Amino acid sequence: MRVKSAMIDSLNVSDNHLEAMFVYDNDYSIETVKSKAVFEPSVWSETFGKSLKKNIIEAKIIHTHLGQTLPLKTFSATPLRQTLEFAGLRGYNDRSRLLVITLNDLKSQLQQSRVTRIDVAFDYQGEIPKSIIKALCRTREPFRYGNTTYYKTAKEKKDKSEDGH
């Protein structure tokens, strides 16, 4: 058994007024789904396949020229910062490939932003040793989604304040 690769699968970045980098760029459009004047939770769940969490006080969808949709959230715990999420960077499909292109296009504008969440995906060749699985299971509970097994702590499964997963 050996690790075939370890890559960042999801990345959240936070900063003040992240949406400003999209406003004057014709390659992007912004759709507000939750604000003081707008509340369209069904648009969020149709787009991202999950509900809009109560701790999100403002939610916007960034639409890219490549057909990607990115969640832009403002959490009640950090009302002065917006969080932009890039989830599924290492899937083996066109969506992931286009998401990586979008991230690379924005990389220079995001350099001063704070990374608030990183999920790393490990691809293994062969079987994973039982000792590794036992060590993970001491503090994390496994669950499968598609072809992937996730190991999250009870807090990560319960408190989804920063990632929405």
Side-chain angles (χ1 to χ4, degrees):
M1 184 277 323
R2 70 172 225 251
V3 174
K4 186 175 163 186
S5 63
M7 302 280 216
I8 294 174
D9 183 51
S10 297
L11 174 73
N12 286 9
V13 292
S14 294
D15 209 339
N16 299 337
H17 312 294
L18 277 176
E19 73 182 277
M21 70 177 147
F22 302 107
V23 172
Y24 299 107
D25 190 329
N26 291 332
D27 287 341
Y28 302 94
S29 65
I30 302 170
E31 178 180 8
T32 301
V33 294
K34 184 176 182 183
S35 68
K36 289 180 181 175
V38 176
F39 187 61
E40 297 288 339
S42 62
V43 173
W44 188 269
S45 40
E46 287 169 19
T47 304
F48 300 114
K50 51 190 162 191
S51 63
L52 195 53
K53 306 297 181 198
K54 289 181 183 178
N55 64 334
I56 298 173
I57 58 173
E58 186 176 71
K60 299 181 180 192
I61 300 171
I62 306 298
H63 298 275
T64 76
H65 68 286
L66 297 172
Q68 298 296 293
T69 52
L70 304 172
L72 181 66
K73 307 175 246 187
T74 303
F75 294 97
S76 57
T78 54
L80 300 178
R81 287 195 333 239
Q82 292 177 310
T83 299
L84 184 61
E85 178 181 312
F86 296 89
L89 292 164
R90 296 299 166 198
Y92 300 102
N93 54 40
D94 279 340
R95 182 192 173 282
S96 294
R97 185 180 60 77
L98 295 173
L99 193 58
V100 169
I101 291 170
T102 301
L103 178 58
N104 285 332
D105 288 347
L106 297 171
K107 197 178 285 187
S108 66
Q109 296 173 51
L110 294 171
Q111 285 185 349
Q112 300 303 313
S113 299
R114 174 187 295 174
V115 174
T116 54
R117 180 175 172 271
I118 294 177
D119 280 351
V120 178
F122 295 95
D123 287 341
Y124 284 91
Q125 268 185 327
E127 279 200 32
I128 301 169
K130 289 182 183 179
S131 61
I132 291 175
I133 301 298
K134 283 182 182 179
L136 278 171
C137 290
R138 281 187 208 123
T139 58
R140 298 170 179 270
E141 185 178 325
F143 71 94
R144 264 186 95 71
Y145 181 79
N147 292 329
T148 304
T149 302
Y150 295 88
Y151 290 87
K152 291 195 175 195
T153 64
K155 184 179 185 320
E156 286 173 317
K157 287 181 119 184
K158 182 179 158 196
D159 174 29
K160 310 205 187 295
S161 63
E162 195 61 21
D163 67 357
H165 289 295

